[in-house]
């Protein structure tokens, strides 16, 4: 069941929208929550800034900061990439702030229904990611009708300074995205490779550039694999702006080229490249129910689970 009456906001608490100037305060809050959930700070300021600039989030209506006096204690952000019933949101709260957190859920769920209705949908299907041991009260979340629908692992692997670049098999070449043509090709490859994956939302090239914060992308960290006779069939996108580890954002191999070891090749390419850059650790996220065998691939290459995140879903009528 869903909540029909707003949870009262306790005295001393206040809510306002976020602005871009709040990025540092939000980052500090998320790192405080990271320490409680996984034992270390994991959130980078550049990530928060990119989230607050999301083109499908109007900060005045789609962001929420909860203050206890002058202290920021919870944060919410919502965006709509589907143009239909699917709405995404983030919600993070410190312990001991349940009533305030539930008040934010009231506001955010109502806004999700409003956005889905504006898209012509009969319901809002809202998704949110939470650590499997979050600061949020999960019984309270389930009581609102939320349920888990997927689990993701964040996997990591140490890098040796002598990590080698992989030899290229006969007929296979790798190149970086040095040109606009190659960037569009990488976009097309990743969109096609992930089209059948859970929660995939089709994006135009311009939307994809916004999603990846293209102004700050190092295109030399995105590789395309070409196979003689098949053409360009796989791509890996990565980033080097996290302090804790290099990060692989996505690896996609077209269906007709799977089973040739291209995912492994691209993975080892990233290992060797980042080792040469002096990085000592590399990480990525993976859907544990991925039908392409990605989880097993990463495990075969020495990657181990660092922490896990669940996708929570709420289905709410819009009227």
């Amino acid at each position: 069941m869903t909540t029909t009456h707003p949870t009262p906001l306790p005295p001393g608490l206040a809510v306002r929208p976020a602005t871009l100037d709040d990025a540092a305060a939000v980052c500090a809050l998320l790192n405080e929550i990271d320490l409680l959930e996984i034992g270390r700070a994991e959130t980078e300021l550049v990530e928060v800034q990119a989230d607050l600039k999301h083109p499908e989030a109007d900060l005045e209506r789609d962001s929420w900061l909860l203050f206890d006096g002058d202290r920021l204690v919870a944060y919410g952000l919502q965006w709509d990439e589907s143009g239909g019933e699917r709405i995404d949101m983030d919600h993070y709260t410190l312990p001991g702030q349940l009533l305030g957190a539930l008040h934010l859920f009231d506001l955010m769920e109502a806004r999700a229904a409003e956005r889905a209705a504006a898209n012509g949908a009969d319901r809002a299907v809202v998704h949110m990611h939470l650590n499997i041991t979050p600061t949020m009260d999960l019984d309270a979340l389930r009581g609102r009708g939320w349920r888990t629908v997927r689990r993701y692992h964040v996997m990591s692997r140490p890098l040796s300074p002598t990590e080698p670049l992989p030899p290229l098999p006969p007929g296979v070449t790798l190149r970086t995205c040095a040109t606009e043509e190659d960037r569009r090709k990488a976009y097309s490859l990743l969109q096609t490779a992930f089209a059948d994956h859970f929660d995939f939302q089709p994006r135009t090239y311009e939307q994809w550039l916004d999603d990846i914060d293209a102004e700050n992308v190092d295109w030399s960290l995105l590789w395309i694999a070409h196979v003689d006779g098949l053409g360009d069939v796989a791509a890996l996108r990565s980033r080097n702006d996290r302090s804790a580890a290099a990060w692989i954002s996505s690896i996609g191999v077209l269906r007709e080229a799977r089973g040739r070891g291209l995912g492994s090749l691209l993975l080892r390419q990233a290992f060797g490249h980042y080792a040469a850059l002096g990085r000592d650790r590399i990480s990525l996220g993976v859907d544990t129910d991925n039908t392409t065998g990605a989880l097993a691939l990463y495990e075969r290459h020495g990657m181990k689970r660092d922490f896990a995140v669940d996708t929570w879903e709420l289905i709410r009528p819009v009227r």
Side-chain angles (χ1 to χ4, degrees):
M1 60 180 289
T2 58
T3 301
T4 56
H5 301 289
T7 303
L9 195 60
L13 298 187
V15 178
R16 69 164 173 84
T19 71
L20 293 178
D21 291 338
D22 292 309
V26 171
C27 185
L29 171 68
L30 298 187
N31 277 319
E32 188 173 354
I33 292 171
D34 287 344
L35 286 169
L36 294 170
E37 293 181 343
I38 64 174
R40 68 177 188 276
E42 182 74 12
T43 304
E44 302 284 350
L45 179 59
V46 65
E47 298 173 274
V48 176
Q49 291 170 330
D51 288 344
L52 292 176
K53 292 188 294 183
H54 197 295
E56 277 88 29
D58 175 351
L59 291 184
E60 184 64 31
R61 295 184 296 170
D62 301 322
S63 68
W64 298 262
L65 300 180
L66 177 68
F67 290 88
D68 187 348
D70 293 331
R71 177 167 165 72
L72 180 62
V73 296
Y75 159 70
L77 183 71
Q78 191 174 107
W79 61 98
D80 168 21
E81 294 182 354
S82 74
E85 66 180 18
R86 272 279 291 104
I87 307 294
D88 289 287
M89 65 179 252
D90 285 335
H91 182 291
Y92 299 97
T93 182
L94 290 174
Q97 298 288 347
L98 180 59
L99 291 180
L102 293 178
H103 182 80
L104 287 196
F105 271 107
D106 290 335
L107 299 176
M108 297 179 76
E109 291 168 11
R111 174 62 176 153
E114 177 186 334
R115 299 193 75 170
N119 291 336
D122 294 326
R123 64 180 189 170
V125 179
V126 193
H127 282 191
M128 169 182 63
H129 294 109
L130 288 178
N131 188 279
I132 59 172
T133 55
T135 53
M136 180 61 197
D137 186 315
L138 295 185
D139 288 335
L141 198 58
R142 294 186 186 99
R144 301 181 68 86
W146 289 84
R147 65 187 184 97
T148 56
V149 293
R150 211 71 166 192
R151 176 161 291 186
Y152 292 84
H153 286 176
V154 173
M155 306 184 73
S156 291
R157 177 190 186 277
L159 295 176
S160 163
T162 58
E163 197 92 36
L165 288 170
L168 295 179
V172 177
T173 56
L174 297 180
R175 70 181 188 276
T176 59
C177 286
T179 68
E180 175 69 10
E181 182 180 2
D182 281 339
R183 294 167 193 178
R184 288 183 176 273
K185 172 58 70 172
Y187 151 78
S188 177
L189 288 169
L190 292 173
Q191 288 281 296
T192 303
F194 281 91
D196 295 331
H197 286 215
F198 173 77
D199 227 5
F200 172 78
Q201 300 294 325
R203 308 293 280 160
T204 67
Y205 178 64
E206 290 72 21
Q207 288 171 329
W208 181 72
L209 291 178
D210 281 330
D211 293 342
I212 66 175
D213 194 16
E215 290 183 0
N216 295 310
V217 167
D218 181 346
W219 293 102
S220 71
L221 302 177
L222 201 161
W223 293 276
I224 293 172
H226 180 94
V227 177
D228 289 350
L230 290 178
D232 297 330
V233 291
L236 179 149
R237 183 170 69 86
S238 66
R239 53 193 294 180
N240 195 28
D241 56 359
R242 294 186 173 193
S243 57
W247 182 261
I248 296 174
S249 302
S250 50
I251 305 177
V253 180
L254 297 186
R255 184 180 300 277
E256 60 268 26
R258 291 172 188 167
R260 295 170 174 263
L262 295 174
S264 176
L265 176 70
L266 286 166
L267 194 64
R268 289 182 293 139
Q269 172 71 19
F271 292 168
H273 185 83
Y274 279 106
L277 292 179
R279 300 307 302 259
D280 61 5
R281 194 163 192 81
I282 193 164
S283 301
L284 53 74
V286 60
D287 176 359
T288 59
D289 289 329
N290 184 306
T291 58
T292 65
L295 178 61
L297 168 68
Y298 303 148
E299 290 174 337
R300 286 199 303 273
H301 287 280
M303 305 196 79
K304 297 181 180 179
R305 192 184 95 169
D306 187 359
F307 58 91
V309 173
D310 284 328
T311 299
W312 287 78
E313 180 181 85
L314 174 72
I315 299 177
R316 171 172 169 158
V318 301
R319 297 176 181 87

